[in-house]
Amino acid sequence: MTTAIRTAMFIGVTALVVGSAVGPRWLYAQTPAQMEYERQAREARQAEERRQQEQQRLQQLMNENARRAQEETNRAARANAPGSQSPQSTPGSSQSRSTGAGAAQSVAACKAKPVRGAPAAVLLISVGVVTQSGAVKPLVEQGFFLLKDSMDDALTKGGFRPPPGMSPRTGMEHARINNTPNLNQAVAALLAAVACGPVLTDPSGTAHFPPVHPGTYYLAGGNLNPRLAWNLRVDLKPGANSITLDQRNASPFN
């Protein structure tokens, strides 16, 4: 056998081995339709990741605002408690101005603060998720508000107009995901409807609202994991009121 024949046989055997290992090239070729499908799937995954990241960022901001408001409320309660040793100050002094600023922040955190001497309502909320075993897992550091109107009514009264076919709440979520210009209007409408809050749930999943005028409010808040939202009408009577929040009286995020 000549050298040329041996070389040709070696090349042929090598080609067969390599071809059997990697497969013929035509098996791996993608059609334009397959390439377009994979592109759309990749963009959908990226959009979902961005949406979840933005949702987490907003939840963290809301929780941080609730924590600060709760600290201010607690500070004001300690200062006004009977027997507290608050320093004497004269009008116009630096201590007087500091106290006035704290009082203004406390009132702003609860616009429905009752008039002194009038009956007041206090709301205790307990927030958790009921597991399959029947146990309750507390939802910790979640912010909640009392609104003067339902979220849909508050958005409508505030001038927010959702896209055709969407409820105001769904329209606000659409505006948030797509960062449309009317998102700021939706946020402003909800802030204008806040009667009290935010308050932040503690390690046991409970939170107390400051005293408010007795009457009808809407309890609003949400949780990311699991994805639940609350927008419940509550009729607060003078004295103590309580409500338990879980997946049975919540609705999924729009």
Side-chain angles (χ1 to χ4, degrees):
M1 184 180 294
T2 64
T3 301
I5 294 175
R6 286 197 299 270
T7 302
M9 291 177 64
F10 175 78
I11 293 173
V13 171
T14 302
L16 287 174
V17 172
V18 173
S20 63
V22 302
R25 183 177 297 275
W26 62 267
L27 287 177
Y28 297 93
Q30 287 185 313
T31 65
Q34 290 174 325
M35 295 175 64
E36 176 63 18
Y37 173 81
E38 290 189 358
R39 184 188 67 80
Q40 293 180 0
R42 184 170 56 254
E43 291 180 352
R45 288 193 301 268
Q46 293 172 347
E48 176 63 17
E49 290 174 357
R50 290 194 298 269
R51 189 187 67 79
Q52 292 181 359
Q53 292 172 356
E54 178 65 13
Q55 193 84 44
Q56 292 173 353
R57 186 184 70 83
L58 291 176
Q59 185 71 51
Q60 291 171 354
L61 287 174
M62 186 178 72
N63 290 346
E64 180 61 24
N65 289 336
R67 185 181 297 107
R68 291 177 180 176
Q70 190 70 60
E71 290 174 354
E72 179 61 33
T73 300
N74 294 339
R75 189 179 302 113
R78 288 192 299 268
N80 296 328
S84 62
Q85 299 297 323
S86 58
Q88 297 295 324
S89 60
T90 58
S93 66
S94 60
Q95 291 179 345
S96 176
R97 287 191 295 271
S98 175
T99 303
Q105 292 176 13
S106 178
V107 172
C110 196
K111 300 175 184 177
K113 189 174 181 180
V115 178
R116 179 174 298 181
V122 178
L123 176 62
L124 167 68
I125 61 174
S126 300
V127 190
V129 174
V130 181
T131 64
Q132 292 183 348
S133 65
V136 177
K137 178 183 178 182
L139 296 182
V140 181
E141 293 190 343
Q142 301 301 309
F144 286 85
F145 297 82
L146 283 178
L147 303 181
K148 294 177 286 186
D149 299 291
S150 69
M151 290 184 65
D152 282 334
D153 288 346
L155 289 167
T156 300
K157 289 181 179 180
F160 176 74
R161 297 293 179 265
M166 292 186 183
S167 69
R169 287 181 62 193
T170 304
M172 183 182 69
E173 180 71 0
H174 177 270
R176 185 195 63 77
I177 293 174
N178 296 280
N179 196 27
T180 59
N182 59 348
L183 177 60
N184 290 336
Q185 188 175 24
V187 172
L190 287 182
L191 289 178
V194 172
C196 195
V199 297
L200 201 66
T201 55
D202 62 18
S204 66
T206 62
H208 290 82
F209 279 93
V212 296
H213 290 296
T216 299
Y217 299 90
Y218 286 83
L219 181 60
N223 182 69
L224 285 177
N225 186 24
R227 292 169 58 82
L228 298 171
W230 289 272
N231 181 37
L232 299 178
R233 171 174 170 160
V234 290
D235 296 313
L236 301 185
K237 304 182 183 304
N241 299 261
S242 63
I243 186 171
T244 298
L245 303 177
D246 56 37
Q247 66 266 45
R248 292 171 294 190
N249 54 8
S251 59
F253 277 98
N254 291 322

